Amino acid sequence: MTIQWYPGHMHKAQKEIKQALPDIDLIIEVVDARIPYSSANPVIADLAENKGISKPIIKLMNKTDLADPARTAQWCEYLEKQQGVKALPVTAQSPEQVKKVIGLCRRLAPQRTTKELPVRAMIMGIPNVGKSTIINILSQKTIAKVGNEPAVTQRQQRIDLKEGVILFDTPGILWPKIDNTHSSYRLAISGAIKDTALDYEDVAFYAIEYLLKNYQSLLAEHFKLDEHELASYQSESWMALELIGRLRGCLKAGGRIDMDKVCKILIHEYRAGNIGKITLESPAMIEKELIEVAEMLKQKAEKKAARKAGFKKKR
Ligand SMILES: Nc1nc2c(ncn2[C@@H]2O[C@H](COP(=O)(O)OP(=O)(O)O)[C@@H](O)[C@H]2O)c(=O)[nH]1
Ligand SMILES: [Mg+2]
C-alpha cells in the first residue's frame, strides 16, 4: 500500500520545530498506544538522532483504553531505554491520569518551576492521536477542536497551564512515518489515515492476518467463531473474513459474500475497541522491520547511484 504524504509539508514542520526548539525545555509527543512506533513523529526522531537535540521527550502514549496492557508495558520499558525519553501511558477517559504529565514536566525541568520561569513544553503529534483532546484536558477548557480538522496550518498556540508549565502547541501538521509499509497499514487500521485515502479490502486483509496470528482468541470470542476452525485459517486468512461475512449476513445477490462490507465491519469494530484491547505492533516486530527498512533504503540508494553513474557514462 502506498500512501502519498507531502514532503514539502514535512520539511516546513521540521523547520518550524527546529526554530522553536531553543526556547523550549522539553517535548511532549503524543502517540497512539496501539502503534507507539508507527504513530511517532519522524521529524522528532530525526532531530533527536541526527541533530543531537538534548531536550527531554515525554512519550504520552494515549488511547491505552484501546491497547493491549501487556504490550503497553513492553513499549514503556522499550521507549525509556532511549536517552532522555520518559513514557507515560494515558487515556483521555481518565483526565487525572493525563494531568500527571504536568508533574512529570516539572520533574524533567527542575531549573524552571517558578512562576516567573515556567517549564516550556512543546506538545506535538501526528493527526488523530488525541492531541487536541489532551490539550483540552490539561487546560480544562475547550481550546482545541477535537476530531476532523482541515489540513491547514494554524498559528502556534501558547497555553498557560498555571501550574508552572506553559504548553506550546506545534504549528502545522506532522506526518507519520512512511518508509515502513507495515506502518502504513497500522496507521490505516487505527484510523489515523483518512478513509478516503484507503483501500478497505487491502487494509482488512492485513488486519485479519495480524489478528489471527496475535489475537486469535479475542477474534473468535467477538465474532462468535470456533477457535479451532479459525486456527485452520492461519495461512488462508481471507477465509476467516468470509466466515465473518457469512455470520454477519454480508451477502450479495446469488449468495456471494460482500467482501467490502465485511472489511468495513472488521476495521470499524477494531477501531471502536469492540474486538478487544489490541496493539498492532511490538518492540520486537519493530526491531526486525527497522533492519528490513534500512536494507531497502540502502538498495534504493545504490540503484539510484548506479543509474546516475550509467547516465554519466552515456554522455
Ligand atoms: N478511545 C479513545 N479515543 C480517544 C482518546 N483520546 C482521543 N480520542 C479520540 O480520538 C479522535 C481524535 O482526537 P483529537 O483530539 O481530535 O486528535 P488530534 O488530531 O491529535 O488533535 C477523537 O475522536 C477523540 O475523541 C482516548 O484516550 N481513547
Ligand atoms: Mg487536533
Side-chain angles (χ1 to χ4, degrees):
M1 188 174 67
T2 48
I3 297 165
Q4 195 56 53
W5 301 117
Y6 305 96
H9 286 201
M10 202 127 117
H11 187 71
K12 188 160 173 268
Q14 176 150 9
K15 225 173 104 187
E16 281 167 345
I17 292 167
K18 247 167 94 179
Q19 272 168 3
L21 271 179
D23 297 318
I24 62 132
D25 304 301
L26 56 87
I27 291 166
I28 300 172
E29 186 184 11
V30 187
V31 295
D32 184 327
R34 295 168 299 169
I35 42 173
Y37 164 79
S38 297
S39 63
N41 183 250
V43 170
I44 279 307
D46 185 55
L47 283 172
E49 274 165 34
N50 305 319
K51 321 276 177 342
I53 48 165
S54 50
K55 313 271 175 179
I57 299 178
I58 299 173
K59 290 264 188 182
L60 202 63
M61 298 172 58
N62 190 33
K63 306 200 185 188
T64 50
D65 54 295
L66 301 174
D68 177 345
R71 287 264 180 102
T72 300
Q74 268 180 24
W75 271 110
C76 284
E77 198 188 316
Y78 178 78
L79 290 171
E80 291 201 337
K81 281 188 190 141
Q82 294 165 28
Q83 184 72 29
V85 174
K86 283 270 169 225
L88 187 65
V90 299
T91 158
Q93 290 173 357
S94 164
E96 286 318 305
Q97 224 178 45
V98 173
K99 284 183 195 151
K100 281 192 183 152
V101 76
I102 297 175
L104 186 55
C105 285
R106 292 164 59 105
R107 284 200 297 283
L108 289 174
Q111 75 284 11
R112 293 191 60 103
T113 38
T114 60
K115 202 158 175 268
E116 295 73 36
L117 284 178
V119 184
R120 298 155 302 174
M122 185 188 254
I123 187 163
M124 53 180 66
I126 66 164
N128 211 42
V129 289
K131 192 179 76 166
S132 298
T133 307
I134 300 281
I135 291 176
N136 289 339
I137 291 174
L138 293 176
S139 62
Q140 296 181 304
K141 283 190 263 215
T142 315
I143 288 180
K145 199 175 155 228
V146 171
N148 291 334
E149 269 174 85
V152 289
T153 309
Q154 324 141 296
R155 262 191 319 168
Q156 184 170 302
Q157 268 190 328
R158 180 185 185 282
I159 305 148
D160 189 350
L161 300 185
K162 302 222 163 51
E163 292 184 62
V165 180
I166 297 196
L167 210 56
F168 291 91
D169 192 1
T170 36
I173 307 283
L174 296 177
W175 302 98
K177 289 184 207 299
I178 45 167
D179 288 338
N180 186 340
T181 320
H182 295 288
S183 291
S184 317
Y185 280 109
R186 293 171 195 144
L187 286 158
I189 297 168
S190 75
I193 290 172
K194 288 246 165 15
D195 283 2
T196 45
L198 117 205
D199 174 353
Y200 265 103
E201 236 168 74
D202 198 15
V203 173
F205 273 70
Y206 186 94
I208 193 78
E209 203 172 314
Y210 176 80
L211 294 173
L212 276 171
K213 270 203 196 97
N214 296 274
Y215 293 96
Q216 192 174 278
S217 316
L218 288 181
L219 201 61
E221 201 180 322
H222 174 68
F223 288 108
K224 307 207 164 30
L225 306 170
D226 181 76
E227 204 173 336
H228 290 293
E229 192 178 354
L230 257 193
S232 67
Y233 295 158
Q234 281 272 359
S235 55
E236 278 166 302
S237 38
W238 60 273
M239 283 177 70
L241 278 177
E242 279 211 352
L243 194 62
I244 293 170
R246 205 163 297 126
L247 280 166
R248 289 291 182 94
C250 306
L251 298 176
K252 280 204 227 182
R256 277 179 308 130
I257 305 286
D258 185 344
M259 271 306 197
D260 187 52
K261 209 164 163 187
V262 189
C263 291
K264 283 187 174 143
I265 285 178
L266 182 75
I267 299 299
H268 289 154
E269 294 184 8
Y270 169 75
R271 286 180 187 167
N274 297 340
I275 304 177
K277 292 179 186 289
I278 294 174
T279 298
L280 298 174
E281 58 195 19
S282 69
M285 286 162 68
I286 298 305
E287 289 281 318
K288 194 166 153 262
E289 288 164 20
L290 282 174
I291 296 169
E292 289 163 12
V293 170
E295 182 57 32
M296 178 204 68
L297 291 176
K298 196 177 132 214
Q299 280 177 15
K300 240 184 176 170
E302 279 168 8
K303 260 193 200 149
K304 198 172 159 191
R307 257 205 318 272
K308 250 190 179 163
F311 181 67
K312 270 195 190 142
K313 237 190 223 163
K314 268 189 210 151
R315 284 212 305 175

